[in-house]
Amino acid sequence: MKATIEYIEKSRYRSKVLKTLANGAKMPSEIAKDTDIVQNHISNTLKQLKDHDLVECINPEVRKGRLYRLTDDGEEIIKNLQD
């Protein structure tokens, strides 16, 4: 867990995306708006977080309007992240 927290804290984008998803499932465009991060960076960040099993897409069958949320591991990380 400690290694994962350090991985998140090394990237401002990863920590911002996780924190905004703590408020519920969102589309990448909503995440971009909430975090002031360009949407193509959001897509890359979501892929990184998915690879670490911290976020999941809850409707992968759709092409537009995909929703992402924290996994149980992602929620645990949020509880342990420093502000």
Side-chain angles (χ1 to χ4, degrees):
M1 173 87 93
K2 182 175 169 70
T4 306
I5 291 173
E6 289 172 358
Y7 171 76
I8 298 303
E9 289 178 338
K10 283 183 182 180
S11 168
R12 185 171 52 93
Y13 290 172
R14 288 189 288 257
S15 60
K16 278 185 159 187
V17 169
L18 276 185
K19 286 176 184 175
T20 195
L21 287 175
N23 299 322
K26 296 184 180 186
M27 292 184 297
S29 59
E30 295 172 308
I31 297 168
K33 185 178 176 190
D34 290 351
T35 59
D36 289 324
I37 299 171
V38 183
Q39 191 162 341
N40 66 331
H41 290 297
I42 296 297
S43 297
N44 291 336
T45 303
L46 285 169
K47 182 184 179 328
Q48 293 169 5
L49 294 171
K50 271 177 55 178
D51 290 346
H52 282 80
D53 296 320
L54 299 174
V55 300
E56 63 186 350
C57 180
I58 57 178
N59 58 345
E61 67 283 351
V62 298
R63 186 107 171 100
K64 286 194 176 240
R66 287 188 176 147
L67 285 169
Y68 290 85
R69 69 176 172 205
L70 295 176
T71 61
D72 291 342
D73 289 346
E75 289 181 20
E76 281 301 310
I77 293 295
I78 283 295
K79 292 176 190 173
N80 293 295
L81 271 180
Q82 298 175 1
D83 284 326

